[in-house]
Amino acid sequence: MNILVFGPNGSGKGTQGAIVQKKYNMPHIESGAIFRQNIGGGTELGKKAKEYIDRGDLVPDDITIPMILDRLREDDCKNGWLLDGFPRNKIQAETLAKALEEAGIKLDYIIEIVLDREVAKLRITGRRLCVNDNNHPNHIAFEAIKPVEKEGRLVCRVCGGDLNTRPDDQDDEAIDKRHNIYYDDVTGTMAAVNFFKQLDGPKVISVDGTPSISQVSESIMKEFA
Ligand code: AMP
């Protein structure tokens, strides 16, 4: 099963992606997380990507597109994948669709989490990243995924690991820029969403991202055949 997940930053896209990934046991490929791992590891890719990410800009297509297409060719993707954070613009969408067609890979589902821009913005600053596993969601404003307190500090609710915040989540300008890109339906992410939604083949699962994590996840899960 091959799945694309779309949603503005702060919509719970990563959290929902992690739930689907766990249920179907498929690789959860998150472009943003791959960049962050590379930044943490001090790689060349990380060095190139960091300045764009910190500003809230997209990392250029000539870096991002091959990185994701190469990842999809790895062995663990043979039986399916869940792609999250890519495509982020119309060119990435068209390039991905072409690459999948050439490789004879069918896209099964498109998950779209719909959320008002102001609500999404409010949610961004509260999220926390587990240093051990990107698929351990933590958010200080959501009871269901609230970090736990240990020796006077907040740690990951799943594994007790240390928590980080993303620099681009604490910068107002970077948040606005990311949302400008997401809601742009001419060349930005909404153009990519609309491009995939009008394709014949994949089933579109469009859900309201405002209710609780479990309600959103229920709305998504019941759509799987
Ligand atoms: P995310 O974790 O999805 O919010 O991504 C964090 C940052 O990584 C974004 O703000 C971009 O700078 C960069 N990024 C992630 N995915 C892409 C993509 N598909 N194309 C370009 N840049 C990306």
Side-chain angles (χ1 to χ4, degrees), residues 6 71 80 85 87 94 98 144 148 158:
F6 290 104
R71 178 68 188 88
E94 290 168 349
K98 191 160 170 272
V148 292
V158 182

Side-chain angles (χ1 to χ4, degrees), residues 185-197:
D185 61 3
V186 180
T187 58
T189 313
M190 277 312 295
V193 177
N194 293 334
F195 172 86
F196 275 101
K197 279 169 84 172

Side-chain angles (χ1 to χ4, degrees), residues 9 13 30-33 35-36 49 52-54 56-61 64 68 84-89 92 127 166 168 178:
N9 302 95
K13 170 175 65 80
E30 256 190 281
S31 45
F35 284 130
R36 283 187 289 279
Y52 298 98
I53 293 177
D54 285 351
D57 288 326
L58 289 185
V59 178
D61 286 343
T64 309
I68 294 298
D84 169 349
F86 184 97
R88 219 39 171 244
N89 62 28
Q92 292 181 5
R127 61 182 177 192
R166 288 168 45 174
D168 58 338
R178 280 143 72 201

Side-chain angles (χ1 to χ4, degrees), residues 82-141:
L82 183 139
L83 188 50
D84 169 349
F86 184 97
R88 219 39 171 244
N89 62 28
K90 200 167 177 206
I91 290 172
Q92 292 181 5
E94 290 168 349
T95 312
L96 176 66
K98 191 160 170 272
L100 294 180
E101 198 185 336
E102 282 169 6
I105 296 171
K106 196 166 81 58
L107 197 56
D108 299 289
Y109 293 97
I110 291 161
I111 300 175
E112 181 194 15
I113 302 175
V114 180
L115 194 65
D116 177 76
R117 185 171 173 151
E118 283 310 308
V119 180
K121 186 169 177 177
L122 280 175
R123 286 186 180 179
I124 288 180
T125 46
R127 61 182 177 192
R128 299 290 178 268
L129 291 187
C130 170
V131 296
N132 297 327
D133 191 332
N134 197 52
N135 276 329
H136 290 171
N138 288 273
H139 196 293
I140 57 173

